[in-house]
Amino acid sequence: MTTVTDRTALRDALGLLKDREQVAERLLESSAKHSFDPDRELDWDAPAVDGAYYWPPELLSLYDTPLWKRMSEEQRIELSRHEAASLASLGIWFEIILMQLLVRHIYDKSLTSNHVRYALTEIADECRHSMMFARMIQKGGAPEYPVSRLNHNLARVLKTVSTTPGSFACTLLGEEILDWMQRLTFPDERIQPLVRGVTRIHVIEEARHVRYAREELRRQMATAPRWEQELTRISCGEAARVFSVAFVNPAVYENVGLDRREAVAQVRASGHRREVMQTGAKRLTDFLDDIGVLRGVGRRLWKSSGLLA
């Protein structure tokens, strides 16, 4: 899968890895030019636009199901408001996990290196993103939607036992599917202006985070011992399974006046929903496959999650 050509030059199935410090230096330069203060950048006082969705309808979990076809336009918009709040809540949960994993990653590394400086810059970005998502939930008027107690505690275990490559693989899982959805959201004129502004900021800044995680995951998979590579495959696959279950909190359906059990069953049976989730994950799963993460038990877990065809 990988070869080490010398102490500094590494190569994997995707080619020669770039120097870690040079990658971090470019990301720091980009951060200096393209970082945002959401409190100042966005108009938080503007009223919501009547008749506008809070999330693209095609990306809503019930889209094109029998329930969806019976719902009024007002109920569909209400579903979008609650699903946007659920996704923002999930995003905050992931970003808090990510910040802890990044701190663990840099704990024993050179404090003056570009690599560590960029990690600290990313942590600052994630702090702003979490506050931005929380403010968007409040502004939208929907409740917050925490993950289940089981998944909350599973994440506590993950943060404790995760390998370094496992941490970066899980980071990409939490970032790339939501990023794909947000790239469809911010240019969509059917969507509330505030939501479009929030997703635009997140997409621009998250592109740097994805680059950092991808480069580091490639490096880690090229140098990790075999046992750590295998543990990474399993933990990443289990994270994919948890993520797919936690993606939309089922309480959303009750809060818009739908039967929870019926809604969950229709989402699970929806070919459209399965296609959306697999399309959103494809860029990531192709990458993970290329660098040897999607193998054995880990691959079977990804398939059971529904994110891998």
Side-chain angles (χ1 to χ4, degrees):
M1 179 187 70
T2 58
T3 57
V4 179
T5 56
D6 57 39
R7 290 188 178 182
T8 57
L10 298 173
R11 180 181 296 276
D12 64 6
L14 297 177
L16 193 67
L17 276 72
K18 296 179 175 61
D19 178 77
R20 179 192 261 169
E21 284 293 276
Q22 290 178 356
V23 169
E25 182 179 10
R26 286 194 291 271
L27 292 173
L28 285 165
E29 291 171 355
S30 177
S31 297
K33 295 176 182 176
H34 304 292
S35 292
F36 303 92
D37 179 354
D39 288 338
R40 297 185 178 186
E41 186 78 17
L42 302 174
D43 186 357
W44 295 97
D45 295 324
V49 175
D50 288 341
Y53 278 79
Y54 290 76
W55 203 246
E58 298 82 5
L59 300 182
L60 296 175
S61 59
L62 283 169
Y63 183 81
D64 203 33
T65 63
L67 260 179
W68 176 267
K69 293 170 184 176
R70 298 202 304 264
M71 292 166 66
S72 66
E73 183 70 359
E74 291 75 16
Q75 199 172 22
R76 291 172 177 178
I77 291 172
E78 184 69 356
L79 176 66
S80 78
R81 186 168 71 93
H82 284 266
E83 285 207 19
S86 179
L87 287 169
S89 300
L90 183 73
I92 295 169
W93 179 60
F94 260 110
E95 288 179 341
I96 290 172
I97 294 169
L98 167 58
M99 286 186 275
Q100 293 178 71
L101 293 176
L102 279 173
V103 169
R104 278 182 53 192
H105 173 61
I106 65 176
Y107 185 71
D108 58 357
K109 290 181 169 47
S110 170
L111 300 178
T112 58
S113 67
N114 290 334
H115 186 73
V116 168
R117 282 181 57 213
Y118 180 73
L120 293 171
T121 301
E122 180 171 334
I123 291 168
D125 289 346
E126 300 294 18
C127 284
R128 293 195 306 276
H129 293 170
S130 295
M131 292 186 288
M132 176 175 69
F133 288 159
R135 192 171 181 182
M136 186 185 79
I137 293 170
Q138 289 181 317
K139 180 66 177 177
E144 61 180 289
Y145 286 98
V147 298
S148 69
R149 183 177 296 275
L150 173 62
N151 288 336
H152 184 81
N153 287 323
L154 281 173
R156 196 186 304 279
V157 174
L158 169 69
K159 292 182 295 182
T160 302
V161 305
S162 177
T163 64
T164 300
S167 296
F168 282 101
C170 292
T171 293
L172 290 169
L173 171 65
E175 289 179 336
E176 294 214 27
I177 299 174
L178 285 171
D179 181 72
W180 175 80
M181 290 187 168
Q182 289 175 337
R183 287 177 184 273
L184 297 175
T185 302
F186 80 78
D188 191 334
E189 295 183 356
R190 299 173 297 173
I191 308 304
Q192 293 285 349
L194 179 61
V195 176
R196 294 176 64 191
V198 166
T199 53
R200 174 181 170 273
I201 287 174
H202 197 250
V203 163
I204 292 171
E205 296 190 338
E206 208 67 18
R208 300 191 293 266
H209 304 175
V210 169
R211 171 72 186 282
Y212 183 78
R214 281 181 169 236
E215 291 288 337
E216 191 58 28
L217 179 56
R218 289 179 63 194
R219 182 175 300 277
Q220 293 292 331
M221 288 299 290
T223 58
R226 182 170 295 180
W227 70 265
E228 191 170 17
Q229 292 179 15
E230 189 56 36
L231 182 57
T232 296
R233 294 180 183 114
I234 295 170
S235 64
C236 181
E238 176 61 14
R241 191 194 61 78
V242 170
F243 178 84
S244 65
V245 171
F247 201 77
V248 174
N249 190 315
V252 161
Y253 308 124
E254 292 180 44
N255 288 341
V256 297
L258 300 173
D259 180 87
R260 176 174 179 155
R261 186 173 297 178
E262 181 184 12
V264 169
Q266 290 196 15
V267 170
R268 287 178 178 167
S270 171
H272 174 82
R273 185 60 175 176
R274 185 163 51 252
E275 182 181 355
V276 164
M277 297 302 289
Q278 290 179 358
T279 301
K282 190 174 189 312
R283 182 171 178 267
L284 172 61
T285 54
D286 285 351
F287 169 73
L288 295 178
D289 204 12
D290 286 341
I291 65 172
V293 175
L294 297 188
R295 295 183 179 179
V297 174
R299 188 178 191 90
R300 291 195 291 274
L301 285 167
W302 269 88
K303 281 184 171 292
S304 71
S305 76
L307 298 176
L308 180 66

